[in-house]
Amino acid sequence: MHNTGHNHPAIIAALKEELDRSGPAMLQSHVPQLAAQLAQRLSQLAGGQLERVFFTNSGSEGVETAIKFSRAHTRRDGLLYADGAFHGLTCGALSLMSDPFWHEGFGPMLPGTQGIRFGDLGELEKHLATRKFAAFIVEPVQSEGGIRIPDPSYLPAAQELCRRHGTLFVLDEVQTGMYRTGPFLAAHHFQVEPDMVILAKALSGGLIPVGAVLMSEAVGDSVFSSLKRAIVHASTFGENGLAMRAGLATLDVLEQARLGERGANMGASLRHRLTVALAPYEMVEAVRGLGMLSGIEFTAPRSLRIRIPFETFRRIHPALFGQILVMRLFRDKGMLTQICGNNFMVLKVAPPLVITELQMQEFVDAVRDVVDLMHNSNTFWSEALGLVRRVVDL
Ligand SMILES: Cc1ncc(COP(=O)(O)O)c(C=O)c1O
């Protein structure tokens, strides 16, 4: 969410100014001028038919909105999603995620949801043909799923199939939007015109909770079809002045510094440097990404010397190897990273779009050093095993 970097001074200044204005905050009956301005800019940047915007407080709430609006518009209940997706942890969004890890203990999920393989058009068409589905909700690049980039033909063909079968084509751009992959939306890479797009995270500079659902006029009108229904979907803090002001300031920063273009160029260079630096190591399977959203995929080693400790780790917990990597990068190198939530063998590389050449090189060197340690020194494994012994009863 830190596309503009941490605590950008221009966004902080805009927030202070907004507070000092003592404006008509949180009055659901006022005319939310800032929300209108932000909505207009978002819809112009998104293009296509995305002419209406509903503001939320998070990505998950955006997904809930997309679920309700697509049901209202199509008068169908079913919801299609891609296996490996991450859409959020509220009950509706959670029902669009296939991994049982996220469901356990939280009771029955929404009925009528169906997971399909990401990238499989045949499976998509088979389900669409039943005409039970209100929406196909999909990330253009699966982020938590392991930075999975679909074949260039997948999303345009999926959109075409959705149109043919009366199902809304909804893109979750919570991670990929706001210039993360280069253009304003990842949709722009694939030349698709979705019926709805969900944004959140970087929209307010990482400083204020916010989300936005962009949609066509027809979809918006099917929920807000009369004055009587004007409040059927709403949220107290939805259009609050601070989030809106932060959103406007964030767009100013992103546009003035042309951070999308910068991120695209720097991201390609980052992947090139990582690919070269990590080429000698057997556990590095791939470096891939789009714009400034990349991943380093690791794989089980073949050589016995490191295969044994790797398998021990995997048996304790499948995410353990990745967590040790993250811990080492943080403790030894001061680099804060994450493994993907739904793919524990992929290290996510998504720095702010303002990252400098020098910072990028420091990161590449740090990853190379830790990966080298993993391949060539017993301490990576033995020390980690010691740590694990303290918290897990081995
Ligand atoms: C693609 C995607 N959609 C939705 C969400 C949920 O957003 P939030 O955590 O703001 O509810 C996330 C969160 O990581 C996400 O990555």
Short mmCIF file of all heavy atoms in Angstrom, two decimals, residues 63 66-67 70-71 74 76-85 87 96 112-125 127-128 132-140 142 150 153-163 165-172 192 194-198:
data_model
loop_
_atom_site.label_atom_id
_atom_site.label_comp_id
_atom_site.label_asym_id
_atom_site.label_seq_id
_atom_site.Cartn_x
_atom_site.Cartn_y
_atom_site.Cartn_z
N VAL A 63 -14.93 -5.64 -1.70
CA VAL A 63 -15.35 -6.93 -2.27
C VAL A 63 -16.80 -7.21 -1.88
O VAL A 63 -17.61 -7.67 -2.70
CB VAL A 63 -14.39 -8.07 -1.83
CG1 VAL A 63 -14.89 -9.43 -2.29
CG2 VAL A 63 -12.98 -7.82 -2.37
N ALA A 66 -18.95 -5.29 -4.13
CA ALA A 66 -19.03 -5.89 -5.47
C ALA A 66 -19.98 -7.09 -5.47
O ALA A 66 -20.75 -7.30 -6.42
CB ALA A 66 -17.65 -6.30 -5.94
N ILE A 67 -19.95 -7.86 -4.39
CA ILE A 67 -20.85 -9.02 -4.29
C ILE A 67 -22.31 -8.54 -4.31
O ILE A 67 -23.14 -9.02 -5.09
CB ILE A 67 -20.57 -9.83 -3.00
CG1 ILE A 67 -19.19 -10.50 -3.07
CG2 ILE A 67 -21.67 -10.86 -2.73
CD1 ILE A 67 -18.75 -11.19 -1.78
N SER A 70 -23.34 -6.84 -7.72
CA SER A 70 -23.48 -7.74 -8.87
C SER A 70 -24.73 -8.61 -8.72
O SER A 70 -25.40 -8.91 -9.70
CB SER A 70 -22.22 -8.59 -9.07
OG SER A 70 -21.91 -9.31 -7.90
N ARG A 71 -25.04 -8.97 -7.47
CA ARG A 71 -26.29 -9.74 -7.27
C ARG A 71 -27.51 -8.89 -7.61
O ARG A 71 -28.45 -9.36 -8.26
CB ARG A 71 -26.36 -10.24 -5.83
CG ARG A 71 -25.44 -11.43 -5.58
CD ARG A 71 -25.53 -11.86 -4.15
NE ARG A 71 -24.97 -13.21 -3.99
CZ ARG A 71 -24.89 -13.84 -2.84
NH1 ARG A 71 -25.32 -13.28 -1.73
NH2 ARG A 71 -24.39 -15.06 -2.78
N THR A 74 -27.74 -8.43 -11.53
CA THR A 74 -28.05 -9.59 -12.39
C THR A 74 -29.23 -10.40 -11.88
O THR A 74 -29.74 -11.26 -12.59
CB THR A 74 -26.83 -10.54 -12.46
OG1 THR A 74 -26.55 -10.98 -11.12
CG2 THR A 74 -25.61 -9.86 -13.04
N ARG A 76 -28.94 -12.68 -9.86
CA ARG A 76 -28.42 -14.06 -9.69
C ARG A 76 -27.64 -14.09 -8.39
O ARG A 76 -27.15 -13.06 -7.94
CB ARG A 76 -27.47 -14.42 -10.83
CG ARG A 76 -28.09 -14.41 -12.22
CD ARG A 76 -26.99 -14.66 -13.23
NE ARG A 76 -27.47 -14.65 -14.59
CZ ARG A 76 -26.67 -14.78 -15.65
NH1 ARG A 76 -25.37 -14.95 -15.47
NH2 ARG A 76 -27.15 -14.77 -16.87
N ASP A 77 -27.49 -15.31 -7.82
CA ASP A 77 -26.79 -15.43 -6.53
C ASP A 77 -25.32 -15.84 -6.66
O ASP A 77 -24.50 -15.56 -5.81
CB ASP A 77 -27.41 -16.55 -5.68
CG ASP A 77 -28.86 -16.27 -5.35
OD1 ASP A 77 -29.27 -15.12 -5.53
OD2 ASP A 77 -29.55 -17.22 -4.93
N GLY A 78 -25.03 -16.64 -7.68
CA GLY A 78 -23.72 -17.31 -7.75
C GLY A 78 -22.55 -16.36 -7.92
O GLY A 78 -22.67 -15.27 -8.48
N LEU A 79 -21.40 -16.78 -7.40
CA LEU A 79 -20.18 -15.97 -7.50
C LEU A 79 -19.01 -16.87 -7.86
O LEU A 79 -18.76 -17.87 -7.18
CB LEU A 79 -19.89 -15.28 -6.15
CG LEU A 79 -20.98 -14.33 -5.66
CD1 LEU A 79 -20.86 -14.10 -4.16
CD2 LEU A 79 -20.94 -13.01 -6.41
N LEU A 80 -18.33 -16.52 -8.94
CA LEU A 80 -17.16 -17.31 -9.36
C LEU A 80 -15.89 -16.60 -8.93
O LEU A 80 -15.81 -15.37 -9.00
CB LEU A 80 -17.15 -17.42 -10.89
CG LEU A 80 -18.05 -18.45 -11.53
CD1 LEU A 80 -18.08 -18.24 -13.05
CD2 LEU A 80 -17.58 -19.87 -11.21
N TYR A 81 -14.91 -17.38 -8.51
CA TYR A 81 -13.61 -16.80 -8.14
C TYR A 81 -12.51 -17.77 -8.56
O TYR A 81 -12.79 -18.93 -8.89
CB TYR A 81 -13.55 -16.52 -6.63
CG TYR A 81 -13.63 -17.77 -5.78
CD1 TYR A 81 -12.47 -18.44 -5.38
CD2 TYR A 81 -14.86 -18.30 -5.40
CE1 TYR A 81 -12.54 -19.59 -4.60
CE2 TYR A 81 -14.94 -19.45 -4.64
CZ TYR A 81 -13.77 -20.09 -4.24
OH TYR A 81 -13.84 -21.23 -3.49
N ALA A 82 -11.27 -17.29 -8.54
CA ALA A 82 -10.15 -18.14 -8.98
C ALA A 82 -9.45 -18.75 -7.77
O ALA A 82 -9.18 -18.05 -6.78
CB ALA A 82 -9.18 -17.31 -9.80
N ASP A 83 -9.14 -20.03 -7.86
CA ASP A 83 -8.39 -20.68 -6.78
C ASP A 83 -7.08 -19.94 -6.56
O ASP A 83 -6.43 -19.50 -7.52
CB ASP A 83 -8.08 -22.13 -7.17
CG ASP A 83 -9.33 -22.99 -7.15
OD1 ASP A 83 -10.32 -22.60 -6.50
OD2 ASP A 83 -9.33 -24.06 -7.79
N GLY A 84 -6.70 -19.83 -5.30
CA GLY A 84 -5.44 -19.14 -4.96
C GLY A 84 -5.62 -17.65 -4.74
O GLY A 84 -4.68 -16.97 -4.34
N ALA A 85 -6.84 -17.16 -4.98
CA ALA A 85 -7.07 -15.71 -4.83
C ALA A 85 -7.03 -15.30 -3.37
O ALA A 85 -7.27 -16.11 -2.47
CB ALA A 85 -8.45 -15.37 -5.41
N HIS A 87 -9.04 -12.26 -1.38
CA HIS A 87 -9.97 -11.14 -1.55
C HIS A 87 -10.33 -10.46 -0.24
O HIS A 87 -11.12 -9.52 -0.24
CB HIS A 87 -11.25 -11.62 -2.25
CG HIS A 87 -11.05 -12.00 -3.69
ND1 HIS A 87 -10.55 -11.10 -4.62
CD2 HIS A 87 -11.25 -13.17 -4.36
CE1 HIS A 87 -10.48 -11.71 -5.80
NE2 HIS A 87 -10.89 -12.96 -5.67
N LEU A 96 -14.78 -16.23 -1.10
CA LEU A 96 -14.20 -16.25 -2.46
C LEU A 96 -12.74 -16.65 -2.40
O LEU A 96 -11.93 -16.24 -3.22
CB LEU A 96 -14.33 -14.86 -3.10
CG LEU A 96 -15.75 -14.27 -3.15
CD1 LEU A 96 -15.73 -12.88 -3.75
CD2 LEU A 96 -16.69 -15.18 -3.95
N GLY A 112 -23.34 -20.72 -2.87
CA GLY A 112 -23.37 -20.29 -4.28
C GLY A 112 -22.04 -19.82 -4.83
O GLY A 112 -21.97 -19.34 -5.95
N THR A 113 -20.97 -19.95 -4.04
CA THR A 113 -19.67 -19.53 -4.57
C THR A 113 -18.97 -20.73 -5.21
O THR A 113 -19.18 -21.87 -4.78
CB THR A 113 -18.75 -18.95 -3.48
OG1 THR A 113 -18.43 -19.97 -2.55
CG2 THR A 113 -19.41 -17.78 -2.76
N GLN A 114 -18.15 -20.46 -6.21
CA GLN A 114 -17.48 -21.55 -6.92
C GLN A 114 -16.07 -21.13 -7.32
O GLN A 114 -15.90 -20.12 -8.00
CB GLN A 114 -18.31 -21.91 -8.17
CG GLN A 114 -17.70 -22.97 -9.05
CD GLN A 114 -17.67 -24.35 -8.40
OE1 GLN A 114 -18.70 -24.81 -7.88
NE2 GLN A 114 -16.52 -25.00 -8.40
N GLY A 115 -15.09 -21.90 -6.87
CA GLY A 115 -13.70 -21.64 -7.28
C GLY A 115 -13.39 -22.35 -8.58
O GLY A 115 -13.85 -23.47 -8.81
N ILE A 116 -12.62 -21.68 -9.44
CA ILE A 116 -12.17 -22.32 -10.68
C ILE A 116 -10.68 -22.07 -10.84
O ILE A 116 -10.14 -21.17 -10.20
CB ILE A 116 -12.92 -21.76 -11.92
CG1 ILE A 116 -12.78 -20.22 -11.97
CG2 ILE A 116 -14.37 -22.18 -11.93
CD1 ILE A 116 -13.35 -19.62 -13.24
N ARG A 117 -10.02 -22.85 -11.68
CA ARG A 117 -8.57 -22.67 -11.87
C ARG A 117 -8.29 -21.33 -12.54
O ARG A 117 -8.95 -20.97 -13.52
CB ARG A 117 -7.99 -23.82 -12.70
CG ARG A 117 -7.65 -25.04 -11.87
CD ARG A 117 -6.90 -26.07 -12.69
NE ARG A 117 -7.69 -26.51 -13.85
CZ ARG A 117 -8.63 -27.45 -13.80
NH1 ARG A 117 -8.87 -28.07 -12.66
NH2 ARG A 117 -9.31 -27.78 -14.88
N PHE A 118 -7.31 -20.59 -11.97
CA PHE A 118 -6.89 -19.32 -12.54
C PHE A 118 -6.26 -19.58 -13.91
O PHE A 118 -5.33 -20.39 -14.01
CB PHE A 118 -5.88 -18.67 -11.59
CG PHE A 118 -5.42 -17.29 -11.98
CD1 PHE A 118 -6.32 -16.25 -12.10
CD2 PHE A 118 -4.07 -17.03 -12.19
CE1 PHE A 118 -5.89 -14.96 -12.43
CE2 PHE A 118 -3.63 -15.75 -12.51
CZ PHE A 118 -4.54 -14.72 -12.64
N GLY A 119 -6.80 -18.98 -14.94
CA GLY A 119 -6.22 -19.15 -16.27
C GLY A 119 -6.94 -20.19 -17.12
O GLY A 119 -6.62 -20.35 -18.29
N ASP A 120 -7.93 -20.89 -16.55
CA ASP A 120 -8.60 -21.97 -17.28
C ASP A 120 -9.93 -21.46 -17.86
O ASP A 120 -10.95 -21.37 -17.14
CB ASP A 120 -8.82 -23.15 -16.32
CG ASP A 120 -9.34 -24.38 -17.05
OD1 ASP A 120 -10.02 -24.23 -18.09
OD2 ASP A 120 -9.09 -25.50 -16.57
N LEU A 121 -9.92 -21.15 -19.14
CA LEU A 121 -11.13 -20.58 -19.76
C LEU A 121 -12.23 -21.62 -19.94
O LEU A 121 -13.42 -21.30 -19.86
CB LEU A 121 -10.77 -19.96 -21.12
CG LEU A 121 -9.93 -18.68 -21.04
CD1 LEU A 121 -9.35 -18.33 -22.40
CD2 LEU A 121 -10.75 -17.51 -20.50
N GLY A 122 -11.83 -22.86 -20.17
CA GLY A 122 -12.81 -23.93 -20.36
C GLY A 122 -13.67 -24.10 -19.11
O GLY A 122 -14.90 -24.19 -19.18
N GLU A 123 -13.00 -24.11 -17.96
CA GLU A 123 -13.72 -24.28 -16.70
C GLU A 123 -14.63 -23.06 -16.44
O GLU A 123 -15.76 -23.20 -15.99
CB GLU A 123 -12.72 -24.46 -15.56
CG GLU A 123 -13.31 -25.20 -14.39
CD GLU A 123 -12.35 -25.35 -13.22
OE1 GLU A 123 -11.17 -24.99 -13.34
OE2 GLU A 123 -12.83 -25.82 -12.16
N LEU A 124 -14.10 -21.90 -16.77
CA LEU A 124 -14.90 -20.67 -16.59
C LEU A 124 -16.17 -20.76 -17.43
O LEU A 124 -17.28 -20.53 -16.94
CB LEU A 124 -14.06 -19.45 -17.00
CG LEU A 124 -14.77 -18.10 -17.00
CD1 LEU A 124 -15.18 -17.70 -15.58
CD2 LEU A 124 -13.88 -17.01 -17.59
N GLU A 125 -16.01 -21.13 -18.69
CA GLU A 125 -17.17 -21.17 -19.59
C GLU A 125 -18.21 -22.19 -19.13
O GLU A 125 -19.42 -21.93 -19.17
CB GLU A 125 -16.75 -21.44 -21.03
CG GLU A 125 -17.97 -21.46 -21.95
CD GLU A 125 -17.64 -21.19 -23.39
OE1 GLU A 125 -16.53 -21.57 -23.81
OE2 GLU A 125 -18.51 -20.62 -24.09
N HIS A 127 -18.97 -23.10 -16.17
CA HIS A 127 -19.78 -22.57 -15.07
C HIS A 127 -20.65 -21.39 -15.52
O HIS A 127 -21.81 -21.27 -15.11
CB HIS A 127 -18.89 -22.17 -13.90
CG HIS A 127 -18.33 -23.36 -13.19
ND1 HIS A 127 -19.11 -24.20 -12.42
CD2 HIS A 127 -17.08 -23.87 -13.13
CE1 HIS A 127 -18.36 -25.17 -11.94
NE2 HIS A 127 -17.12 -25.00 -12.36
N LEU A 128 -20.08 -20.53 -16.38
CA LEU A 128 -20.87 -19.38 -16.84
C LEU A 128 -22.11 -19.83 -17.58
O LEU A 128 -23.18 -19.21 -17.48
CB LEU A 128 -20.02 -18.49 -17.76
CG LEU A 128 -18.89 -17.68 -17.10
CD1 LEU A 128 -18.06 -16.98 -18.17
CD2 LEU A 128 -19.45 -16.66 -16.11
N LYS A 132 -25.99 -19.10 -13.62
CA LYS A 132 -26.31 -18.92 -12.20
C LYS A 132 -25.46 -17.81 -11.58
O LYS A 132 -25.66 -17.44 -10.44
CB LYS A 132 -25.97 -20.21 -11.44
CG LYS A 132 -26.92 -21.35 -11.65
CD LYS A 132 -26.48 -22.47 -10.73
CE LYS A 132 -27.23 -23.76 -11.01
NZ LYS A 132 -26.51 -24.92 -10.50
N PHE A 133 -24.43 -17.36 -12.32
CA PHE A 133 -23.42 -16.54 -11.67
C PHE A 133 -23.59 -15.04 -11.92
O PHE A 133 -23.71 -14.60 -13.06
CB PHE A 133 -22.01 -17.01 -12.08
CG PHE A 133 -21.72 -18.37 -11.51
CD1 PHE A 133 -21.90 -19.52 -12.27
CD2 PHE A 133 -21.33 -18.50 -10.18
CE1 PHE A 133 -21.68 -20.78 -11.72
CE2 PHE A 133 -21.11 -19.76 -9.63
CZ PHE A 133 -21.29 -20.90 -10.40
N ALA A 134 -23.60 -14.31 -10.82
CA ALA A 134 -23.74 -12.85 -10.89
C ALA A 134 -22.43 -12.22 -11.35
O ALA A 134 -22.44 -11.27 -12.13
CB ALA A 134 -24.12 -12.29 -9.52
N ALA A 135 -21.30 -12.74 -10.83
CA ALA A 135 -20.01 -12.11 -11.13
C ALA A 135 -18.90 -13.13 -11.14
O ALA A 135 -18.96 -14.15 -10.45
CB ALA A 135 -19.70 -11.04 -10.08
N PHE A 136 -17.89 -12.82 -11.94
CA PHE A 136 -16.59 -13.51 -11.85
C PHE A 136 -15.64 -12.46 -11.27
O PHE A 136 -15.37 -11.45 -11.89
CB PHE A 136 -16.14 -13.99 -13.23
CG PHE A 136 -14.76 -14.58 -13.25
CD1 PHE A 136 -14.31 -15.41 -12.23
CD2 PHE A 136 -13.89 -14.31 -14.31
CE1 PHE A 136 -13.03 -15.96 -12.25
CE2 PHE A 136 -12.60 -14.86 -14.34
CZ PHE A 136 -12.18 -15.68 -13.29
N ILE A 137 -15.20 -12.71 -10.03
CA ILE A 137 -14.33 -11.75 -9.33
C ILE A 137 -12.92 -12.29 -9.36
O ILE A 137 -12.66 -13.39 -8.87
CB ILE A 137 -14.84 -11.53 -7.88
CG1 ILE A 137 -16.29 -11.02 -7.92
CG2 ILE A 137 -13.93 -10.56 -7.13
CD1 ILE A 137 -16.91 -10.73 -6.58
N VAL A 138 -12.00 -11.52 -9.94
CA VAL A 138 -10.65 -12.07 -10.16
C VAL A 138 -9.60 -10.97 -10.03
O VAL A 138 -9.86 -9.80 -10.36
CB VAL A 138 -10.62 -12.76 -11.56
CG1 VAL A 138 -10.82 -11.78 -12.69
CG2 VAL A 138 -9.35 -13.57 -11.77
N GLU A 139 -8.43 -11.34 -9.52
CA GLU A 139 -7.30 -10.40 -9.51
C GLU A 139 -6.61 -10.51 -10.87
O GLU A 139 -6.30 -11.62 -11.31
CB GLU A 139 -6.27 -10.79 -8.45
CG GLU A 139 -6.76 -10.76 -7.02
CD GLU A 139 -5.86 -11.62 -6.13
OE1 GLU A 139 -4.85 -11.10 -5.62
OE2 GLU A 139 -6.15 -12.82 -5.96
N PRO A 140 -6.29 -9.39 -11.52
CA PRO A 140 -5.62 -9.49 -12.82
C PRO A 140 -4.26 -10.15 -12.72
O PRO A 140 -3.83 -10.87 -13.63
CB PRO A 140 -5.49 -8.03 -13.28
CG PRO A 140 -5.90 -7.18 -12.14
CD PRO A 140 -6.64 -8.01 -11.16
N GLN A 142 -2.50 -12.48 -9.66
CA GLN A 142 -2.73 -12.99 -8.30
C GLN A 142 -1.52 -12.64 -7.43
O GLN A 142 -0.41 -13.13 -7.68
CB GLN A 142 -2.95 -14.50 -8.32
CG GLN A 142 -4.34 -14.88 -8.74
CD GLN A 142 -4.70 -16.31 -8.35
OE1 GLN A 142 -3.84 -17.16 -8.16
NE2 GLN A 142 -5.99 -16.57 -8.25
N PRO A 150 -1.37 -13.92 -15.59
CA PRO A 150 -2.03 -14.79 -16.57
C PRO A 150 -1.48 -14.58 -17.97
O PRO A 150 -0.87 -13.56 -18.27
CB PRO A 150 -3.49 -14.33 -16.49
CG PRO A 150 -3.43 -12.92 -16.05
CD PRO A 150 -2.21 -12.79 -15.18
N SER A 153 -3.89 -13.46 -23.14
CA SER A 153 -5.22 -13.63 -23.75
C SER A 153 -6.30 -13.98 -22.72
O SER A 153 -7.49 -13.95 -23.02
CB SER A 153 -5.16 -14.74 -24.80
OG SER A 153 -4.79 -15.95 -24.17
N TYR A 154 -5.89 -14.33 -21.49
CA TYR A 154 -6.85 -14.87 -20.53
C TYR A 154 -7.94 -13.86 -20.13
O TYR A 154 -9.14 -14.16 -20.24
CB TYR A 154 -6.10 -15.37 -19.27
CG TYR A 154 -7.01 -15.82 -18.15
CD1 TYR A 154 -7.91 -16.86 -18.32
CD2 TYR A 154 -6.99 -15.19 -16.90
CE1 TYR A 154 -8.75 -17.28 -17.30
CE2 TYR A 154 -7.82 -15.60 -15.87
CZ TYR A 154 -8.70 -16.64 -16.07
OH TYR A 154 -9.53 -17.04 -15.05
N LEU A 155 -7.52 -12.69 -19.67
CA LEU A 155 -8.53 -11.75 -19.15
C LEU A 155 -9.46 -11.22 -20.25
O LEU A 155 -10.68 -11.19 -20.03
CB LEU A 155 -7.86 -10.61 -18.37
CG LEU A 155 -7.19 -11.06 -17.06
CD1 LEU A 155 -6.38 -9.94 -16.44
CD2 LEU A 155 -8.20 -11.59 -16.04
N PRO A 156 -8.93 -10.85 -21.45
CA PRO A 156 -9.86 -10.44 -22.50
C PRO A 156 -10.87 -11.55 -22.85
O PRO A 156 -12.05 -11.29 -23.04
CB PRO A 156 -8.95 -10.13 -23.70
CG PRO A 156 -7.62 -9.85 -23.11
CD PRO A 156 -7.52 -10.66 -21.85
N ALA A 157 -10.39 -12.78 -22.91
CA ALA A 157 -11.31 -13.89 -23.25
C ALA A 157 -12.30 -14.13 -22.12
O ALA A 157 -13.49 -14.39 -22.37
CB ALA A 157 -10.51 -15.16 -23.54
N ALA A 158 -11.84 -14.00 -20.87
CA ALA A 158 -12.74 -14.19 -19.72
C ALA A 158 -13.83 -13.12 -19.74
O ALA A 158 -15.01 -13.40 -19.50
CB ALA A 158 -11.94 -14.12 -18.42
N GLN A 159 -13.42 -11.90 -20.05
CA GLN A 159 -14.40 -10.80 -20.13
C GLN A 159 -15.45 -11.08 -21.19
O GLN A 159 -16.65 -10.93 -20.96
CB GLN A 159 -13.67 -9.49 -20.43
CG GLN A 159 -14.59 -8.33 -20.73
CD GLN A 159 -13.82 -7.04 -20.94
OE1 GLN A 159 -13.34 -6.43 -20.02
NE2 GLN A 159 -13.69 -6.64 -22.19
N GLU A 160 -14.97 -11.53 -22.34
CA GLU A 160 -15.88 -11.82 -23.46
C GLU A 160 -16.87 -12.93 -23.06
O GLU A 160 -18.07 -12.84 -23.33
CB GLU A 160 -15.00 -12.19 -24.67
CG GLU A 160 -15.64 -12.95 -25.81
CD GLU A 160 -16.76 -12.17 -26.46
OE1 GLU A 160 -16.73 -10.93 -26.37
OE2 GLU A 160 -17.69 -12.82 -27.01
N LEU A 161 -16.37 -13.96 -22.40
CA LEU A 161 -17.25 -15.06 -21.96
C LEU A 161 -18.27 -14.55 -20.95
O LEU A 161 -19.45 -14.92 -20.99
CB LEU A 161 -16.42 -16.20 -21.34
CG LEU A 161 -15.60 -17.05 -22.31
CD1 LEU A 161 -14.70 -18.02 -21.53
CD2 LEU A 161 -16.52 -17.82 -23.26
N CYS A 162 -17.81 -13.72 -20.01
CA CYS A 162 -18.73 -13.17 -19.00
C CYS A 162 -19.85 -12.40 -19.69
O CYS A 162 -21.03 -12.55 -19.36
CB CYS A 162 -17.98 -12.26 -18.03
SG CYS A 162 -16.99 -13.17 -16.84
N ARG A 163 -19.49 -11.54 -20.65
CA ARG A 163 -20.50 -10.72 -21.36
C ARG A 163 -21.51 -11.64 -22.05
O ARG A 163 -22.71 -11.42 -21.97
CB ARG A 163 -19.83 -9.83 -22.41
CG ARG A 163 -18.85 -8.83 -21.86
CD ARG A 163 -19.45 -7.43 -21.69
NE ARG A 163 -18.85 -6.78 -20.51
CZ ARG A 163 -17.71 -6.08 -20.52
NH1 ARG A 163 -17.07 -5.88 -21.64
NH2 ARG A 163 -17.24 -5.55 -19.40
N HIS A 165 -22.49 -14.51 -21.27
CA HIS A 165 -23.37 -15.27 -20.38
C HIS A 165 -24.04 -14.39 -19.31
O HIS A 165 -24.61 -14.91 -18.35
CB HIS A 165 -22.59 -16.42 -19.73
CG HIS A 165 -22.14 -17.45 -20.73
ND1 HIS A 165 -23.02 -18.33 -21.32
CD2 HIS A 165 -20.94 -17.72 -21.28
CE1 HIS A 165 -22.36 -19.12 -22.17
NE2 HIS A 165 -21.09 -18.76 -22.16
N GLY A 166 -23.94 -13.08 -19.47
CA GLY A 166 -24.66 -12.17 -18.56
C GLY A 166 -24.08 -12.11 -17.16
O GLY A 166 -24.79 -11.78 -16.20
N THR A 167 -22.79 -12.44 -17.01
CA THR A 167 -22.12 -12.38 -15.70
C THR A 167 -21.21 -11.16 -15.66
O THR A 167 -20.54 -10.86 -16.65
CB THR A 167 -21.27 -13.67 -15.51
OG1 THR A 167 -22.17 -14.79 -15.49
CG2 THR A 167 -20.47 -13.65 -14.23
N LEU A 168 -21.19 -10.44 -14.55
CA LEU A 168 -20.33 -9.26 -14.46
C LEU A 168 -18.87 -9.68 -14.30
O LEU A 168 -18.56 -10.65 -13.60
CB LEU A 168 -20.75 -8.35 -13.31
CG LEU A 168 -22.14 -7.73 -13.42
CD1 LEU A 168 -22.38 -6.76 -12.26
CD2 LEU A 168 -22.33 -7.01 -14.75
N PHE A 169 -18.00 -8.93 -14.96
CA PHE A 169 -16.56 -9.19 -14.92
C PHE A 169 -15.95 -8.16 -13.96
O PHE A 169 -15.93 -6.97 -14.25
CB PHE A 169 -16.02 -9.04 -16.35
CG PHE A 169 -14.54 -9.26 -16.49
CD1 PHE A 169 -13.96 -10.49 -16.19
CD2 PHE A 169 -13.71 -8.23 -16.95
CE1 PHE A 169 -12.60 -10.70 -16.34
CE2 PHE A 169 -12.35 -8.43 -17.10
CZ PHE A 169 -11.80 -9.67 -16.79
N VAL A 170 -15.50 -8.66 -12.79
CA VAL A 170 -15.08 -7.75 -11.71
C VAL A 170 -13.60 -7.97 -11.40
O VAL A 170 -13.17 -9.10 -11.13
CB VAL A 170 -15.91 -8.04 -10.43
CG1 VAL A 170 -15.47 -7.12 -9.29
CG2 VAL A 170 -17.40 -7.87 -10.71
N LEU A 171 -12.82 -6.90 -11.45
CA LEU A 171 -11.40 -7.03 -11.14
C LEU A 171 -11.10 -6.51 -9.74
O LEU A 171 -11.46 -5.37 -9.41
CB LEU A 171 -10.55 -6.28 -12.16
CG LEU A 171 -10.52 -6.84 -13.58
CD1 LEU A 171 -9.54 -6.06 -14.44
CD2 LEU A 171 -10.16 -8.33 -13.60
N ASP A 172 -10.47 -7.35 -8.94
CA ASP A 172 -9.97 -6.93 -7.64
C ASP A 172 -8.56 -6.38 -7.86
O ASP A 172 -7.60 -7.12 -8.05
CB ASP A 172 -9.94 -8.14 -6.68
CG ASP A 172 -9.37 -7.79 -5.31
OD1 ASP A 172 -8.72 -6.73 -5.18
OD2 ASP A 172 -9.57 -8.58 -4.37
N VAL A 192 -8.70 -4.71 -21.00
CA VAL A 192 -10.06 -5.14 -20.66
C VAL A 192 -10.84 -3.96 -20.09
O VAL A 192 -10.25 -3.00 -19.60
CB VAL A 192 -10.06 -6.33 -19.67
CG1 VAL A 192 -9.67 -7.61 -20.37
CG2 VAL A 192 -9.16 -6.08 -18.46
N PRO A 194 -13.55 -3.86 -17.41
CA PRO A 194 -14.39 -4.57 -16.44
C PRO A 194 -15.66 -3.81 -16.09
O PRO A 194 -15.73 -2.59 -16.28
CB PRO A 194 -13.47 -4.68 -15.21
CG PRO A 194 -12.40 -3.67 -15.41
CD PRO A 194 -12.24 -3.47 -16.87
N ASP A 195 -16.63 -4.54 -15.54
CA ASP A 195 -17.87 -3.91 -15.10
C ASP A 195 -17.66 -3.25 -13.74
O ASP A 195 -18.38 -2.32 -13.38
CB ASP A 195 -18.98 -4.96 -14.98
CG ASP A 195 -19.26 -5.62 -16.31
OD1 ASP A 195 -19.86 -4.95 -17.17
OD2 ASP A 195 -18.85 -6.79 -16.50
N MET A 196 -16.73 -3.78 -12.97
CA MET A 196 -16.41 -3.19 -11.67
C MET A 196 -14.93 -3.40 -11.37
O MET A 196 -14.35 -4.42 -11.79
CB MET A 196 -17.20 -3.90 -10.54
CG MET A 196 -18.58 -3.35 -10.33
SD MET A 196 -19.27 -3.99 -8.78
CE MET A 196 -20.32 -5.23 -9.45
N VAL A 197 -14.35 -2.45 -10.63
CA VAL A 197 -12.96 -2.56 -10.18
C VAL A 197 -12.91 -2.18 -8.71
O VAL A 197 -13.51 -1.18 -8.30
CB VAL A 197 -12.02 -1.63 -11.00
CG1 VAL A 197 -10.67 -1.48 -10.32
CG2 VAL A 197 -11.82 -2.17 -12.41
N ILE A 198 -12.20 -2.98 -7.93
CA ILE A 198 -12.07 -2.67 -6.49
C ILE A 198 -10.66 -2.14 -6.24
O ILE A 198 -9.67 -2.77 -6.62
CB ILE A 198 -12.31 -3.94 -5.65
CG1 ILE A 198 -13.67 -4.55 -5.99
CG2 ILE A 198 -12.23 -3.61 -4.14
CD1 ILE A 198 -13.73 -6.05 -5.82
#
